[in-house]
Amino acid sequence: MPILLTPPCPCTGAPVRPSLVQANERSRQIDAMNARDHDTEQKKIKLLLLGAGESGKTTVLKQMQIIYGKGFAEEELRLQWAPRINENVVAAMKALCDAVEDLELMDQVVNQTEFDSFQSNEAMNGVGLLSPELSLSEIGPVIKVLWNDPGIQAAWEQRSEFQIIESHVKYFEKIDAMSDPEYTPSEEDVLLCRSRTIGIVKTVLEIDKNEFNIFDVGGQRNERRKWIHCFDEVTAVIFVAALSEYDQTLFEDSSQNRMVEAIEIFREHSTSSWFKTSALILFLNKSDLFEHKLGKKPISSVEEWDDYQGPDYVVNPLTDGQAPDAELQLQQQEAFDQGKNYFLKKFLELPDDKQTERSSDVYTHVTCATNTDNVRKIFDVCKDVILKGSLIDSGFYA
């Protein structure tokens, strides 16, 4: 049997104990493994979704899951999303009925029996959530009647004075189909569904053979203190702000305008030292609701924006089948463009003491997060910016 000799120490020439050789080899293997793990982590892209509550951050994430992930299975739609969507519908109508009472609009309610029945229904709790004993198929017809009631419509026109999610109007418009016991929610229904983000939600998606680690964080004030836990080594930040909320107040503070809050948060984080090397992308979201609201609520009529000097337009009711004329369409487009540019300038303006603190460009896009084609086109552009930032961080791009 051959005798294995341990190589001598290259420094002293003395024999080296086998246990020390094994320990050195093990240390070398650990170092190599750590280096490989570090390289793997460096190749991962960390994308952070920030913004105030109800701005549409989670809707953007859902769109990315639809576009780049597996979407939503039918079982998931029926068992997980259908109950949430149904609760969204009932909660929205509950908010409207409460507003009718609070705004003293009861004299405009025509369908008093249905109104009283809905408000006194013991199968709902105080915030309008469905109990297991009550299904949308039962209460849907009542909701349809109420939605078309003049009193409810009067409250809807004053919706900036109370808390309601404006995009849920689309649920009311299809309440007949949604009341069917066999109804399966569509992807659009899921995108419209409001589900408050609590804490930090991490989603991993493979996009063009790159691993994207996407962090969606709660936008309400009491959730923002948790943001800092995911600020380290961020490749890109997508900040989502709702254009249509220029006349609304915060859910958690009725004295604070939502757009003012969004601008303040964006300015704070766009100059943060945490994001000096991160790509910064601003989504001005809910463009469809913004365009519709401009015809009824001029920007300058809101106290916080009384310095706005752009054009306004008033939508006159059209008869059935009548299309808006070319002049009105031109007015609408001009009001939209100048209104959007006005708020974009507000976001990008910095106080004098912050002028030199933003170290990178801000990439801006106007979005409608519930429109999959719109998000797909915009994220294709953003993806190039994010991947370029990742290459710079890895030292492969100067």
Side-chain angles (χ1 to χ4, degrees):
M1 179 180 295
I3 299 175
L4 298 177
L5 299 176
T6 302
C9 174
C11 298
T12 65
V16 179
R17 295 193 304 274
S19 59
L20 185 57
V21 173
Q22 293 171 353
N24 289 338
E25 176 61 20
R26 178 59 179 160
S27 177
R28 186 193 66 77
Q29 292 175 353
I30 292 173
D31 289 343
M33 183 173 62
N34 287 339
R36 286 195 301 270
D37 290 344
H38 177 74
D39 289 342
T40 301
E41 288 299 316
Q42 287 293 101
K43 293 176 183 176
K44 292 180 180 178
I45 293 167
K46 186 174 181 180
L47 176 60
L48 194 58
L49 294 173
L50 295 183
E54 298 183 20
S55 59
K57 301 185 308 302
T58 303
T59 305
V60 171
L61 177 58
K62 292 176 193 172
Q63 286 284 23
M64 295 174 71
Q65 290 174 301
I66 291 171
I67 297 168
Y68 301 106
K70 297 180 180 179
F72 306 99
E74 182 171 348
E75 183 178 9
E76 181 183 4
L77 290 170
R78 289 182 64 85
L79 299 182
Q80 178 179 332
W81 286 105
R84 296 183 189 176
I85 291 168
N86 291 348
E87 289 186 348
N88 275 203
V89 176
V90 176
M93 183 51 68
K94 176 66 174 172
L96 283 166
C97 289
D98 289 347
V100 167
E101 296 175 341
D102 295 341
L103 299 173
E104 300 182 351
L105 301 172
M106 286 300 299
D107 59 328
Q108 299 187 44
V109 173
V110 173
N111 301 285
Q112 189 69 52
T113 301
E114 286 80 2
F115 186 93
D116 292 341
S117 171
F118 185 86
Q119 285 292 73
S120 62
N121 198 316
E122 296 180 356
M124 291 188 299
N125 67 25
V127 294
L129 298 182
L130 284 170
S131 74
E133 292 78 30
L134 184 67
S135 67
L136 194 60
S137 61
E138 297 176 70
I139 202 168
V142 175
I143 291 176
K144 179 181 179 180
V145 171
L146 290 175
W147 173 243
N148 291 291
D149 189 279
I152 294 294
Q153 286 298 310
W156 177 253
E157 291 302 316
Q158 300 182 50
R159 58 191 177 276
S160 64
E161 299 181 36
F162 59 97
Q163 299 296 329
I164 191 169
I165 298 173
E166 293 180 303
S167 58
H168 286 175
V169 65
K170 296 183 180 179
Y171 287 149
F172 294 136
E173 292 170 351
K174 58 188 297 187
I175 192 65
D176 283 338
M178 296 180 68
S179 299
D180 187 330
E182 300 301 317
Y183 183 72
T184 298
S186 64
E187 286 185 343
E188 181 188 23
D189 294 334
V190 173
L191 292 170
L192 292 171
C193 182
R194 166 63 175 162
S195 182
R196 180 182 172 187
T197 303
I198 304 295
I200 301 170
V201 178
K202 177 182 177 181
T203 302
V204 179
L205 293 174
E206 183 177 311
I207 302 176
D208 292 351
K209 298 182 179 180
N210 294 280
E211 182 180 315
F212 276 65
N213 292 264
I214 306 165
F215 294 83
D216 179 22
V217 294
Q220 270 76 24
R221 285 179 172 177
N222 63 336
E223 293 290 331
R224 292 178 208 157
R225 63 179 181 274
K226 305 172 188 175
W227 288 9
I228 196 169
H229 297 298
C230 50
F231 278 4
D232 192 33
E233 297 183 348
V234 173
T235 310
V237 177
I238 293 181
F239 189 94
V240 184
L243 271 173
S244 62
E245 295 181 348
Y246 62 88
D247 66 334
Q248 296 174 251
T249 59
L250 294 181
F251 176 81
E252 60 269 40
D253 180 2
S254 61
S255 67
Q256 174 71 317
N257 180 279
R258 290 193 181 195
M259 185 71 84
V260 171
E261 181 90 349
I263 291 170
E264 290 176 353
I265 301 170
F266 178 77
R267 288 176 176 174
E268 175 187 352
H269 290 87
S270 67
T271 58
S272 169
S273 60
W274 286 101
F275 304 133
K276 280 191 176 296
T277 61
S278 304
L280 192 57
I281 301 166
L282 172 63
F283 280 6
L284 295 180
N285 193 33
K286 302 189 180 182
S287 59
D288 55 334
L289 298 177
F290 177 65
E291 182 176 17
H292 184 267
K293 183 176 287 187
L294 285 174
K296 299 188 177 183
K297 190 70 172 285
I299 294 172
S300 58
S301 69
V302 181
E303 180 181 357
E304 287 82 359
W305 317 118
D306 58 5
D307 64 332
Y308 177 70
Q309 298 179 349
D312 294 318
Y313 72 97
V314 177
V315 176
N316 295 317
L318 301 173
T319 59
D320 291 342
Q322 180 184 359
D325 59 31
E327 183 178 354
L328 177 59
Q329 289 180 329
L330 192 62
Q331 290 176 358
Q332 291 175 333
Q333 189 60 50
E334 185 178 5
F336 178 88
D337 290 340
Q338 293 206 31
K340 175 255 300 180
N341 290 335
Y342 168 79
F343 286 116
L344 178 59
K345 184 179 178 181
K346 293 285 186 182
F347 274 94
L348 298 182
E349 281 179 344
L350 290 176
D352 292 340
D353 61 338
K354 296 275 188 180
Q355 286 293 337
T356 61
E357 293 189 21
R358 184 178 290 152
S359 58
S360 61
D361 293 330
V362 178
Y363 303 90
T364 62
H365 299 276
V366 177
T367 60
C368 174
T370 56
N371 184 319
T372 303
D373 288 338
N374 174 258
V375 175
R376 179 185 285 110
K377 291 174 184 177
I378 289 173
F379 197 75
D380 276 344
V381 176
C382 295
K383 186 174 57 181
D384 293 337
V385 172
I386 294 168
L387 291 175
K388 178 181 175 181
S390 178
L391 289 172
I392 292 174
D393 290 342
S394 301
F396 292 108
Y397 193 102

